[in-house]
Amino acid sequence: MNAMEFPWLTAIILFPLVATLAIPIIPDKEGKTVRWYGLGVAIADFTLMIYAFWHNYDFQSSTYQFVEKYSWVPQIGLNWSVAVDGLSMPLILLTGLINTLAIFAAWKVTNKPRLFYGLMLVMYSAQLGVFLAQDLLLFFLMWEIELVPVYLLISIWGGAKRRYAATKFILYTAAASIFILIAGFAMAFYGDTVTFDMASLGMKQYPKAFELLVYAGFLIAFGVKLPIFPLHTWLPDAHGEASAPGSMILAGVLLKMGGYALIRFNIEMLPNAHVAFAPVLAILGVVNIVYGACCAFAQTNLKRRLAYSSIAHMGFVLIGLASYTEIGISGAMLQMVSHGLIAASLFFLSGVTYERTHTLMMDKMGGMGKVMPRTFALYTAGAMASLALPGMSGFVGELMVFLGIATSDVYSSSFKIVVVLLSAVGVILTPIYLLSMLRQVFYGKQSEELHLDAVVNDVNPRELFITACLLLPIIGIGFYPKLATQTYDVKTVEVAIHARQVLPVVARQQPTSLYSQIFTAPTVATAPVENLVNISK
């Protein structure tokens, strides 16, 4: 068997899941052996995906690669069908890195360690399955499996209100999953053939009204996960109560599942409906940015402030997806990768401070900079990346999104000006609430309840290593964006062209529609923006 015949993706998905079966029989009393086992499995799987992609993945191809398809449950049409392309490959690597570091971050878990690391590995496997699935039923199955470990991780190892936060999470996300099932089955059973193959679903011709309804169903389902206002309220509660490793995965991977699915389903499969919904996505993106930034100001809980910051940053993803330009969609992809790294680092550092102070209330943390200068330096680096400081990955992603929407020939000038100006308000607010967070936590008035004299241990080597593994790619992408963009640029160009092909026809058919003052129908399907794409390189 040569390298290309080996089932790389199946091995990458199933290895953590199969490895979980050995955890109950590992001889271990204090959890030390189990944590080393869990970390070893995560590292091995991450190494496997790096090796497979490095040696066998073609970065210049926009087609599916490593295609593996096996009949699983033929009675219901369920196939084990997995493949990887430019949309999923960078997010697979992000998932491997974040999950590996999250398991390493959970080094001090002593409560039910076997269950904890088992759930972490099951969640790891399900997340990989979501990004690689090419069968709608398989995608839905992986999407649902991932919910259970997250619920248990929050409800067992979370904070004081963990059960409320976990219940809210499962109610929101499980209810949203119903829309995936309904919309997906509607697409599968439409027409003369019944199929759950995602490529075949994208090739079907649907009536306009049908496509709009299906698009709306997917938007609700994936909007909860992204999250999009007003479907976001589960996120601050989940982050506020989850442990640091749980928050790392929530912000670093789970939110990206929503953005990935919007591209894969809503834009690739339903381009006609995307014409009607694209301005809505742009408007919702602006709302996310401004609303998230404003709400972050009002939070005194450190993790809740970071949670609302995540809501704001996901707004740029929506604007990029609505831009109809290669650079805009590429910027949305880069924003997802960048935010995954940045948010994971900040939530991990919030766990570092919580272990020392046993509080997340910023008004009770003042003066920590005196005894934890290295932690302050790491926090500052993460905050600078989050506020899009030039030289950091966040700056490149947001700049590409701004250029994408500003140079789009699809929207009227007035619409673009409003979107850009309101989004810029969020960009201005972000450094204010992040810098005020740093000032209050590290150099604010010392609380009488916090005895800093007892806090003598700054960030330790393990914590420094985890943070460095996140900050190095953040800085590397900031100075050389091609590190990330070369993995998906060919695919995002294809997605933009595919979406734009239907624009002239739809715009001419509906000259007096609701969006007649927003859209300016282009005369060609693929307006050139190649010069702008070079900015990402």
Side-chain angles (χ1 to χ4, degrees):
M1 178 183 292
N2 59 42
M4 290 307 297
E5 293 177 344
F6 183 79
W8 292 105
L9 300 185
T10 299
I12 289 170
I13 296 172
L14 295 183
F15 179 63
L17 183 63
V18 174
T20 305
L21 301 177
I23 290 181
I25 62 175
I26 294 176
D28 188 14
K29 292 183 178 180
E30 300 179 355
K32 294 181 180 179
T33 305
V34 171
R35 71 187 184 191
W36 276 110
Y37 177 79
L39 180 62
V41 170
I43 292 175
D45 202 50
F46 187 42
T47 303
L48 180 64
M49 63 181 71
I50 291 176
Y51 176 85
F53 295 152
W54 181 267
H55 289 279
N56 303 303
Y57 186 84
D58 182 5
F59 291 94
Q60 302 306 314
S61 174
S62 62
T63 59
Y64 286 114
Q65 303 180 49
F66 298 83
V67 178
E68 302 166 19
K69 187 172 183 179
Y70 314 99
S71 179
W72 188 6
V73 187
Q75 292 83 355
I76 61 173
L78 174 58
N79 295 309
W80 180 270
S81 179
V82 292
V84 65
D85 65 355
L87 295 180
S88 53
M89 197 273 278
L91 297 177
I92 287 294
L93 294 177
L94 178 69
T95 301
L97 176 63
I98 299 298
N99 278 272
T100 302
L101 295 178
I103 291 175
F104 199 19
W107 212 239
K108 295 185 178 180
V109 171
T110 56
N111 179 28
K112 299 181 175 67
R114 294 179 189 271
L115 178 60
F116 180 87
Y117 290 106
L119 291 173
M120 292 286 282
L121 292 179
V122 171
M123 180 171 57
Y124 186 9
S125 182
Q127 290 166 357
L128 295 173
V130 168
F131 291 124
L132 293 174
Q134 295 304 310
D135 183 277
L136 182 61
L137 287 180
L138 180 62
F139 174 89
F140 179 76
L141 178 64
M142 293 296 179
W143 188 279
E144 292 298 286
I145 291 175
E146 165 268 330
L147 301 181
V148 178
V150 178
Y151 169 77
L152 294 174
L153 287 169
I154 297 174
S155 61
I156 298 176
W157 291 273
K161 298 180 179 179
R162 58 186 181 274
R163 291 179 182 172
Y164 168 79
T167 302
K168 192 172 184 178
F169 163 80
I170 200 68
L171 288 176
Y172 266 73
T173 51
S177 298
I178 297 174
F179 289 92
I180 300 178
L181 199 60
I182 295 174
F185 269 75
M187 294 177 67
F189 284 92
Y190 181 84
D192 298 329
T193 59
V194 178
T195 179
F196 293 103
D197 181 72
M198 290 163 58
S200 299
L201 292 176
M203 296 174 64
K204 286 187 176 182
Q205 298 296 320
Y206 306 103
K208 177 187 172 183
F210 178 89
E211 192 165 327
L212 289 172
L213 288 173
V214 171
Y215 190 107
F218 282 137
L219 181 60
I220 293 172
F222 305 140
V224 170
K225 187 77 77 174
L226 191 62
I228 299 175
F229 176 89
L231 307 174
H232 68 285
T233 58
W234 65 270
L235 184 66
D237 292 312
H239 271 307
E241 300 303 324
S243 61
S247 289
M248 290 174 67
I249 295 174
L250 270 174
V253 181
L254 264 66
L255 305 190
K256 313 308 171 290
M257 290 165 55
Y260 164 81
L262 282 176
I263 303 176
R264 182 70 77 199
F265 286 81
N266 294 57
I267 299 180
E268 280 200 313
M269 295 186 186
L270 306 166
N272 293 287
H274 186 61
V275 175
F277 277 96
V280 177
L281 292 185
I283 294 169
L284 289 173
V286 171
V287 173
N288 260 44
I289 293 170
V290 177
Y291 170 82
C294 291
C295 287
F297 275 111
Q299 306 305 311
T300 56
N301 182 293
L302 177 60
K303 292 180 71 175
R304 289 182 69 91
R305 176 167 291 197
L306 294 175
Y308 277 105
S309 175
S310 293
I311 293 172
H313 283 88
M314 288 299 97
F316 287 101
V317 175
L318 292 174
I319 294 175
L321 298 184
S323 68
Y324 275 102
T325 61
E326 288 93 333
I327 191 170
I329 298 176
S330 178
M333 280 292 298
L334 184 58
Q335 180 71 357
M336 286 195 284
V337 173
S338 171
H339 178 265
L341 297 168
I342 296 169
S345 66
L346 288 174
F347 278 111
F348 170 69
L349 290 171
S350 69
V352 171
T353 56
Y354 179 78
E355 287 183 1
R356 271 74 170 178
T357 63
H358 304 291
T359 182
L360 290 171
M361 305 308 293
M362 292 186 291
D363 55 356
K364 297 181 180 180
M365 291 184 182
M368 290 179 58
K370 299 177 182 178
V371 294
M372 301 178 69
R374 289 189 298 238
T375 303
F376 171 65
L378 295 174
Y379 248 114
T380 302
M384 294 300 107
S386 184
L387 61 82
L389 182 75
M392 301 284 199
S393 60
F395 171 78
V396 184
E398 292 184 14
L399 177 62
M400 291 173 67
V401 169
F402 274 120
L403 287 174
I405 192 67
T407 59
S408 177
D409 62 348
V410 172
Y411 300 104
S412 64
S413 298
S414 57
F415 182 79
K416 292 188 291 185
I417 290 172
V418 171
V419 170
V420 171
L421 288 180
L422 291 179
S423 301
V425 172
V427 175
I428 296 171
L429 295 177
T430 301
I432 299 175
Y433 69 72
L434 286 176
L435 294 178
S436 66
M437 176 190 74
L438 293 176
R439 177 192 56 78
Q440 190 170 4
V441 171
F442 291 97
Y443 288 100
K445 183 179 179 181
Q446 182 176 339
S447 172
E448 296 179 359
E449 302 176 19
L450 182 64
H451 302 287
L452 288 178
D453 293 337
V455 186
V456 295
N457 53 332
D458 201 350
V459 59
N460 59 42
R462 176 183 62 87
E463 295 163 340
L464 181 61
F465 174 80
I466 293 172
T467 312
C469 287
L470 294 167
L471 290 179
L472 286 177
I474 290 171
I475 297 172
I477 294 172
F479 279 97
Y480 190 63
K482 194 175 181 180
L483 286 173
T485 59
Q486 67 180 346
T487 63
Y488 59 76
D489 259 346
V490 174
K491 181 62 180 182
T492 52
V493 168
E494 181 187 81
V495 171
I497 293 174
H498 175 68
R500 290 175 64 89
Q501 284 176 343
V502 302
L503 272 172
V505 176
V506 174
R508 293 190 185 102
Q509 288 176 345
Q510 304 169 350
T512 60
S513 67
L514 175 64
Y515 301 127
S516 60
Q517 299 303 314
I518 295 177
F519 280 116
T520 55
T523 56
V524 293
T526 56
V529 292
E530 288 81 359
N531 293 334
L532 291 174
V533 175
N534 292 331
I535 296 175
S536 67
K537 301 181 180 180

